[in-house]
């Protein structure tokens, strides 16, 4: 029963990440990395599922995307891993673990810290690793890559706020006593 629940949670999160990939990317002229919504799903995975199930849901997404064009814009994994966005995608995989490390202690469960933790991991960590990936893949100077990535911060911060709001709502709902159907 518990296994079925866990598998369902992982599968639902993977589905959410894939569905968010259907939303068309917004290209930015000055950097070969678009604005996407799929990273909202990565933040949701960390906030709602914790490190193990969150990481598994992202791994499942990556595995599916080997065969199915599940990335934003209809890309599959191999071209993504050899393209300019590889750093972001590698960073995604570690977001649930890093987030869980930052929120492991009981005192760190307040909403401000939860937001800060998801901002540090789901936004800053991803954008910094993405910049390093850009420097490696297309030879962009790291400083230019980091400065260009500042363009993502406002949108990614809004995604982080939205993810925190949705996650706290979902957690509240799942804790509330079941209503009788009678
Ligand atoms: C891909 O589909 O190839 C991955 C795209 C990665 C886009 C990154 S995620 C962090 C930052 N915020 C965005 O909206 N876009 C970039």
């Amino acid at each position: 029963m518990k296994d079925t629940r866990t598998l369902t949670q992982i599968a639902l999160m993977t589905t959410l990440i894939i569905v968010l990939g259907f939303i068309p990317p917004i290209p930015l002229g000055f950097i070969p990395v678009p604005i996407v919504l799929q990273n909202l799903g990565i933040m949701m995975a960390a906030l709602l599922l914790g490190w193990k199930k969150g990481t598994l849901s992202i791994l499942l997404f990556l595995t599916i995307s080997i065969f199915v064009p599940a990335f934003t814009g209809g890309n599959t994994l191999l071209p993504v891993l050899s393209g300019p966005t590889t750093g972001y995608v590698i960073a995604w995989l570690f977001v649930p673990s890093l987030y869980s490390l930052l929120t492991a202690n009981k005192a760190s469960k307040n909403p401000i810290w939860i937001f800060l933790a998801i901002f540090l991991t789901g936004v800053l960590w991803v954008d910094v690793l993405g910049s390093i990936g850009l420097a490696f893949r297309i030879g962009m100077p790291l400083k230019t890559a980091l400065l260009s990535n500042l363009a993502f911060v406002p949108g990614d911060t809004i995604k982080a706020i939205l993810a925190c709001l949705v996650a706290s709502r979902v957690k509240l709902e799942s804790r509330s006593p079941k209503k009788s159907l009678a």
Side-chain angles (χ1 to χ4, degrees), residues 33-36 39 71 80 85 88-89 92 126-127 152 156 159:
V33 182
I35 293 175
V36 300
N39 59 337
F71 277 92
V80 166
T85 59
Y88 302 93
V89 174
W92 284 356
V126 171
D127 288 344
F152 294 123
D156 286 351
K159 291 173 216 168

Side-chain angles (χ1 to χ4, degrees), residues 25-77:
I26 302 174
L28 297 174
F30 55 92
I31 188 175
V33 182
I35 293 175
V36 300
L37 265 194
Q38 219 153 27
N39 59 337
L40 171 63
I42 304 298
M43 296 187 218
M44 297 292 308
L47 283 161
L48 279 172
L49 297 188
W51 78 269
K52 218 184 227 173
K53 290 187 270 179
T55 306
L56 281 173
S57 68
I58 298 169
L59 266 177
L60 181 60
F61 158 69
L62 294 177
T63 308
I64 291 172
S65 67
I66 295 174
F67 311 101
V68 174
F71 277 92
T72 307
N75 291 320
T76 51
L77 182 67

